[in-house]
Amino acid sequence: PTPASHPCFMRWQLLPAYAGSVALVIGLWSVGVALILLAIALLITAPLPVIRGLLGKYSVGVVDFEAEVDGAKVIGRWLYPSQPHQSSALYVALPRAGLTAAFVGTATPPALRRFLPRWVLSHWNCVAIPAKRGAALAKSCESMPVVLFSHGLTGTREVSQSLGLTLAAAGALVVLVEHTDGSSTLARSLDGSSLPFDHSLYDLGEDLPTKEYVAARREQTERRAAELRRHLTLLRRIHGVAHSRAETYEESLFTAEARGAHFVGASPSSSSVRLDGIPAADTASLLTALGERLDLSRSVVAGHSFGGASALTFACEEEELPVGKPPIAVVALDPMVDWVPERVMARAGYGEHGSYGLQQPPLQRYEKTPPLAEVPLLLVWSEEWQRLGYFRQWSANLLERAGRVDPDSGSVSPTGKVSPAGRAQWLRRDRSHACVVVGSGHQALCDVALLLPGRLNALLKNSLGGARSSELASRVNAVVLGWLRNQGLLLEGGETASTWYRGESLPLTRLPGIMRHRSAGTDARY
């Protein structure tokens, strides 16, 4: 269903039908029929996209939020398990902010950009997702893991909602971050202001990336990782205040405003939260419920492309390792590892090549294991990047060493071996994994392919070999969901989840459309 607040009859594809109806009324039969047939053709060639996740135990609630954390603004969207409902919400947050027009001017192929009218993607404002705005948290969900998700270059909070809906339906709080470093198409605040995409970095040399361009992107990655940290800090404060018994929420922790409410943290550096379109009383109860049920010991940081580099950087921070401190696991979809900052490259096991990892050498036996190999890691690659060999050797290096990590000590023995019992336990959990989504282009690992017509996806190489975008999205969602359940991070979902919890790991490469990531020059075991 489409939300009544933005009805489908406003789609531009229907305008010829309206004009044709007028022509028929005044007697211009041939003109009217031609216009109606044109509208039908437009509806077929540019249908309304369908964004869905995999079905789970829960319905899904959604809310767009804005907060101040230590003097800096954080914005994004929360998806979370909710009470059962049959409602829907808009896919695009704050549709009047002009996101679709900004996307045409920022994220479309440069060769087409000058010819495309800014309204050509406006029908995205009609797209609905199966989630209820401000829904009550599911009563049966007593503990929620946290998934922080970082979007790619020119992305926004919206562009990985299919995966977010899947994880929220399985019992997680999914934080879809909208970055404010100039890498988002349009970072939108609740007060109507926005921060546009920073095109100036392209002047440094993008086509054949110059050192200056790569350095500028790495500096952005630093800011993005810091932003992820602020989002986690916000959740920690919400969690901490919810468990504080010093004061009641209604009397001192919330102050109502016209469009929502402020959440005032108990720590000296306070945090304030505003929820879009949610009454003050509902805001207070929702934040209280979230805070009481957050399980920050099961924190996952994830991202696509530039967001994958941001997630890896966040995981490699000095204070975030070793294993046992958040994040507990990392999920990277086609990570742009070239943009990982130099100061954490050694911890990520990557060399300063700036060439999509094509010059990365195999890791020698005498070389120290990168700390990133000690964190449960899922690398999901598109078939497009796998064919090009992007970061293939880096991926093989990490997983080769991840297979030798002793699950009891978190370190590698001098011989690189562990006990048979320890290895059996570790492999059963499928601790780290790299796989390829068959038939996918780079943009099929997020929602972009779902938003575009099939033939256009084939032209842009978002899908390969005739694969349907909905099928590719299901493959991505299934492999991420299965791996997180293998780690014991998502335990909801009925009998299948309880089977995994007993130690029977789901073989990820037996999922439809998933294959192992080919190694290059190593004996990596995966």
Side-chain angles (χ1 to χ4, degrees), residues 212-266:
E212 292 77 14
Y213 178 77
V214 174
R217 291 300 182 202
R218 289 173 176 170
E219 192 276 331
Q220 274 190 307
T221 306
E222 295 272 17
R223 285 185 280 161
R224 285 167 140 257
E227 200 162 14
L228 289 173
R229 200 172 300 112
R230 286 194 289 271
H231 279 270
L232 185 58
T233 297
L234 173 64
L235 295 179
R236 284 171 174 160
R237 292 176 180 172
I238 292 175
H239 176 72
V241 173
H243 286 78
S244 172
R245 298 294 183 258
E247 298 174 300
T248 62
Y249 284 95
E250 291 78 4
E251 293 177 351
S252 59
L253 294 181
F254 295 96
T255 57
E257 284 199 347
R259 295 188 59 189
H262 279 254
F263 178 97
V264 183

Side-chain angles (χ1 to χ4, degrees), residues 9 85 223 478:
F9 60 76
H85 64 77
R223 285 185 280 161

Side-chain angles (χ1 to χ4, degrees), residues 252-319:
S252 59
L253 294 181
F254 295 96
T255 57
E257 284 199 347
R259 295 188 59 189
H262 279 254
F263 178 97
V264 183
S267 61
S269 61
S270 64
S271 304
S272 62
V273 178
R274 296 178 62 196
L275 306 182
D276 181 49
I278 309 299
D282 293 340
T283 296
S285 61
L286 179 58
L287 290 177
T288 302
L290 285 174
E292 290 175 343
R293 302 181 195 185
L294 287 177
D295 184 358
L296 296 174
S297 68
R298 292 187 287 158
S299 300
V300 180
V301 60
H304 170 246
S305 193
F306 200 175
S310 306
L312 294 172
T313 300
F314 178 84
C316 288
E317 293 292 346
E318 193 73 33
E319 64 270 24

Side-chain angles (χ1 to χ4, degrees), residues 418-433:
V418 298
S419 66
R423 179 174 293 281
Q425 176 187 353
W426 215 231
L427 293 181
R428 184 171 64 248
R429 283 296 181 198
D430 204 9
R431 182 174 179 275
S432 292
H433 198 94

Side-chain angles (χ1 to χ4, degrees), residues 353-402:
H353 303 301
S355 58
Y356 296 94
L358 298 176
Q359 302 176 27
Q360 178 78 21
L363 195 63
Q364 303 299 318
R365 289 184 177 273
Y366 59 83
E367 292 187 76
K368 184 178 179 181
T369 296
L372 185 60
E374 301 182 13
V375 177
L377 173 67
L378 174 65
L379 296 171
V380 181
W381 300 99
S382 64
E383 186 175 350
E384 178 187 10
W385 278 28
Q386 192 269 340
R387 290 180 181 180
L388 295 170
Y390 289 173
F391 310 112
R392 181 186 295 177
Q393 186 62 63
W394 169 78
S395 177
N397 289 347
L398 278 183
L399 271 84
E400 193 272 340
R401 286 301 175 90

